[in-house]
Amino acid sequence: MRNDFRLLERARMCWEAASDFRADRDRNKRFTYGDQWSDLVDDGLTKVPEEVLIRRQGNTPLKNNLIRRLVRNVLGVYRNRMTLPEYTPDDQTEKASAAKMQKLMRANVETNRMEELYARSMEEFLIGGLVVHKKWFGRKGNRTDCWTDFVQPDRFIIDPFTRDFRGWDISLIGEIHDMSFDELCASFCASPEERKTLRDIYRADDSGLTATGQFGAGERTPSFHTPALAGTCRVTEVWTLEHPSRYACHDTASGRRFRVSEEDYVRIVEPENRRRILKSEKDLSLPRLIEARWRTEQEWHYHFLTPDGQVIREGISPYSHGGHPYVFKAYPFIDGEIHSFVSDIIDQQKVTNRLISMYDWILRASAKGVLLFPEESLPQGIGIDDIADEWSRFNGVILFRPRPGIPLPQQVSSKCTDIGITDLLNIQMKMMEDISGVNGALQGKLDSNSMSGTLYDQQTRNSLTALADIMGCFEDFVAEAARKDEDNIRQYCRIL
C-alpha cells in the first residue's frame, strides 16, 4: 500500500475551492425550508443572526415562505412533464437487440427508482444549482447490478478550473465517503491481512458508531479529513485524467495492432525488431518489422485514499467508455459560476418577511380594547387590578359608583395607520412571480372566473417559457446519465 499525500492534498484544494458554493447552497436551502432569519448582521459589537437581533428588540420575526411554494410548483411541472429516455439504435436492422436494451434500461430505472431520484435531483438543482449522480457497477446489498447514486454536492470534488458547460475539460473529479469499518472492509479487503492494515490505519474497533445527530436534521461536512459522524471512516475517491506516453504498434507480420509503454517498447519491441532483421539477413529476405508511433494518450485513473494519503485501491477506469462514473450539471456555469433558481428570489423573500413583520409590529403597537377607568369611580375596597381581571373575564360584572362630572369608563380601540404595506406586499409577490417565472397560471390560479379554458391553457404554455431553459438544462443532464447507463448495461450485461 503506497502513499500519495500529494494527490490527497490536490483533492483537498479542489474541495476547498468550492467553499463559497457550499455556503451559498446552504443559505439557499435554509431559505427554501423556512429558516429565513439566520443571515448575520452587525449589532455594533459582533455578527449575530437577524432573528437574535430582532428578539433582543422585543419583536417577533415573522415569515411567509413563498420560496417553498414556488419550488413545489416547478417540481409539479417537472413531474407532469417527466419522460425517461428511450434507447434508439443507430442501425434500424438491430431492432431485436434494441428491444432487449430498452427492456434492460427500463428494469434499471425501476431498480434504482429513477423517477423519484430525478424528482429529488431536480429539487436539489433548483436549490443549489448543481446536481451529481454516480453511475457504477458492483455489489450493493445482496445484488450485483448497474447502480445510480446521488452524490451530495457538499461532498463533491471537482477541478475548479473547469469552464466547459458539458464538463469536458475537467482533469479531477471525485467525492468524499463516510462509512463504517465493516463497510470499508467489505468494499476494499480481500484478505485478513488487508483488514488488519485498515484497522491500524483507522484505529477502528468493533464498538459500532457513535450517534451524534438527529434523524432528519441534515448533515454537514465541515472538514475534508474528519468524518461528519463519529465512528465512521473517511475515504476520498479521486478520479484523475492522466496523460501517459505510449507507442502505437503495428506488427506487419501478423497484422496485429497493440500499444505498449515506453519501457515495454525498449524491453520487447526493439529486441524483436533486431531479431527479425538478423533473421532476414540470413534468409536474404526483407524484414517484416513492428512499426511503432509514439503518442501521448488520455485515460482516467481512480484512487481511493485514506485521510493520511494511503492508497487503498487504484487503477485505470474499468468502464468501456473509458471515463469517470460521474454525471453532473451546473447552472448556468457562466465563467464557472453557479446561480440557482432559489438564489434569484431570496431578496424578494427577505423584503416580504420584513413587510409582514413590520405590519405585525404596527398592529401590536396600536391601541386595542384599552379600558379607561376614572380613578374617582373605583368602588370602595376594590383595586384597579380587580377591575382589570373582571374586565377580561367572560360575562364579567364591574360595580362602580357614577358621580356627577366624572366620565364613565370606556374602551378605546384605534385603527392602525395605513402606510401602504399591503400594496408593497402585493408588489413584492408579483415581482417574485415575475423573477421566478412561476406566475398565477402555472400555480392553477384564474385571473377571473369567466376565463375560458383555451385562454388559460395558452397562459400556462406561455408561463413555461420562463422555465424552458432550466428545464432543458436538467433534461440534458438526464440524457447524459442515460448514455452512461446504456454504456454500463452494454458492457456488464453483455447483450450486444
Side-chain angles (χ1 to χ4, degrees):
M1 188 177 294
R2 70 182 185 89
N3 188 287
D4 196 345
F5 190 79
R6 183 176 180 181
L7 176 60
L8 182 67
E9 188 65 13
R10 181 186 172 193
R12 185 194 65 80
M13 294 175 63
C14 292
W15 186 80
E16 293 287 352
S19 59
D20 290 343
F21 159 74
R22 289 192 294 274
D24 290 341
R25 173 183 174 270
D26 183 67
R27 181 170 183 259
N28 296 341
K29 187 175 67 172
R30 287 192 288 105
F31 270 84
T32 301
Y33 296 121
D35 185 7
Q36 300 177 348
W37 290 100
S38 296
D39 284 353
L40 298 179
V41 293
D42 192 356
D43 67 345
L45 297 176
T46 184
K47 296 285 187 179
V48 297
E50 285 183 294
E51 181 177 2
V52 174
L53 184 60
I54 292 173
R55 292 189 183 279
R56 282 180 185 174
Q57 298 169 352
N59 297 313
T60 302
L62 302 178
K63 61 191 175 186
N64 183 11
N65 194 352
L66 302 176
I67 294 179
R68 181 62 174 153
R69 185 189 68 181
L70 296 178
V71 169
R72 282 200 299 262
N73 287 331
V74 178
L75 287 175
V77 172
Y78 173 73
R79 279 190 178 269
N80 290 333
R81 298 180 55 193
M82 181 189 296
T83 56
L84 296 175
E86 295 187 358
Y87 174 72
T88 303
D90 297 331
D91 189 350
Q92 295 299 322
T93 60
E94 301 178 352
K95 290 184 178 181
S97 59
K100 192 172 183 180
M101 170 62 80
Q102 181 64 31
K103 183 178 179 180
L104 287 173
M105 291 190 68
R106 288 178 179 173
N108 183 261
V109 166
E110 295 178 0
T111 299
N112 288 280
R113 308 293 191 270
M114 294 305 297
E115 290 189 8
E116 180 64 21
L117 182 60
Y118 279 135
R120 297 283 69 80
S121 299
M122 182 64 180
E123 186 171 10
E124 174 64 51
F125 193 57
L126 295 173
I127 296 172
L130 173 68
V131 58
V132 187
H133 285 182
K134 181 182 179 182
K135 305 286 186 177
W136 61 285
F137 175 82
R139 191 167 187 81
K140 178 179 288 190
N142 58 354
R143 182 171 180 174
T144 301
D145 209 330
C146 296
W147 302 102
T148 299
D149 287 346
F150 176 82
V151 180
Q152 294 288 343
D154 61 347
R155 293 175 173 268
F156 185 52
I157 305 171
I158 191 172
D159 180 7
F161 301 105
T162 180
R163 293 295 180 269
D164 192 286
F165 310 110
R166 301 156 297 184
W168 291 358
D169 60 345
I170 61 173
S171 59
L172 184 146
I173 195 170
E175 65 175 307
I176 297 171
H177 301 277
D178 286 343
M179 59 185 73
S180 67
F181 184 71
D182 290 336
E183 292 173 332
L184 179 72
C185 293
S187 301
F188 299 102
C189 292
S191 65
E193 290 75 16
E194 293 182 352
R195 180 184 179 91
K196 183 178 183 303
T197 301
L198 290 180
R199 185 182 296 278
D200 294 338
I201 292 175
Y202 287 96
R203 297 179 177 86
D205 54 33
D206 297 324
S207 59
L209 302 183
T210 303
T212 58
Q214 294 181 351
F215 177 76
E219 176 189 274
R220 294 186 181 181
T221 307
S223 171
F224 180 79
H225 297 290
T226 306
L229 181 63
T232 57
C233 304
R234 172 146 297 186
V235 177
T236 305
E237 179 179 358
V238 183
W239 291 69
T240 56
L241 183 62
E242 307 292 343
H243 297 81
S245 298
R246 291 194 178 96
Y247 281 90
C249 302
H250 175 218
D251 190 343
T252 58
S254 63
R256 186 169 65 95
R257 296 181 181 272
F258 57 95
R259 294 178 300 174
V260 295
S261 64
E262 294 178 335
E263 296 79 6
D264 288 342
Y265 180 80
V266 174
R267 184 174 60 88
I268 299 174
V269 177
E270 287 185 346
E272 177 63 19
N273 280 341
R274 288 195 295 268
R275 187 189 67 78
R276 293 185 183 187
I277 291 174
L278 293 176
K279 185 174 183 300
S280 65
E281 291 177 353
K282 294 180 180 180
D283 299 339
L284 300 178
S285 60
L286 293 176
R288 305 185 68 177
L289 305 178
I290 300 177
E291 300 175 349
R293 183 178 63 181
W294 182 87
R295 60 195 297 179
T296 299
E297 300 179 339
Q298 292 185 350
E299 62 184 21
W300 283 92
H301 289 209
Y302 63 87
H303 317 264
F304 290 88
L305 306 169
T306 65
D308 62 351
Q310 298 290 328
V311 181
I312 303 177
R313 181 177 296 170
E314 63 181 338
I316 302 174
S317 172
Y319 301 104
S320 60
H321 53 71
H324 56 80
Y326 295 97
V327 184
F328 70 95
K329 178 64 68 173
Y331 182 84
F333 214 56
I334 302 297
D335 291 337
E337 298 180 5
I338 299 176
H339 302 283
S340 69
F341 171 85
V342 168
S343 66
D344 293 337
I345 53 180
I346 284 182
D347 290 339
Q348 279 64 43
Q349 177 68 67
K350 293 187 69 173
V351 173
T352 300
N353 291 343
R354 290 193 179 112
L355 290 174
I356 294 174
S357 298
M358 186 183 301
Y359 197 63
D360 176 68
W361 300 340
I362 293 174
L363 287 174
R364 287 192 291 112
S366 61
K368 298 178 288 297
V370 177
L371 175 64
L372 298 181
F373 199 99
E375 187 176 359
E376 293 80 0
S377 299
L378 283 173
Q380 188 175 4
I382 297 179
I384 192 63
D385 293 336
D386 299 326
I387 298 295
D389 182 65
E390 193 68 26
W391 180 266
S392 60
R393 184 179 301 172
F394 177 70
N395 288 334
V397 176
I398 298 177
L399 178 66
F400 76 98
R401 189 182 302 275
R403 295 181 183 180
I406 303 300
L408 296 176
Q410 59 179 329
Q411 180 175 343
V412 178
S413 297
S414 63
K415 295 182 179 179
C416 61
T417 305
D418 185 8
I419 59 175
I421 292 182
T422 303
D423 295 335
L424 289 174
L425 274 172
N426 292 331
I427 291 174
Q428 287 300 322
M429 295 178 69
K430 184 66 170 61
M431 288 180 62
M432 185 170 286
E433 290 183 358
D434 292 340
I435 293 172
S436 65
V438 184
N439 57 25
L442 203 60
Q443 299 176 38
K445 298 179 181 178
L446 298 177
D447 292 338
S448 65
N449 293 331
S450 60
M451 179 183 294
S452 66
T454 304
L455 178 60
Y456 176 76
D457 185 60
Q458 182 63 41
Q459 288 186 358
T460 303
R461 287 197 299 268
N462 292 341
S463 63
L464 291 174
T465 303
L467 301 175
D469 182 56
I470 195 168
M471 290 288 186
C473 188
F474 190 79
E475 288 172 0
D476 181 72
F477 165 78
V478 173
E480 179 63 24
R483 281 189 284 269
K484 283 206 172 179
D485 281 333
E486 177 191 341
D487 290 339
N488 290 345
I489 292 173
R490 188 189 302 272
Q491 176 183 359
Y492 292 105
C493 294
R494 303 180 185 276
I495 67 165
L496 299 176

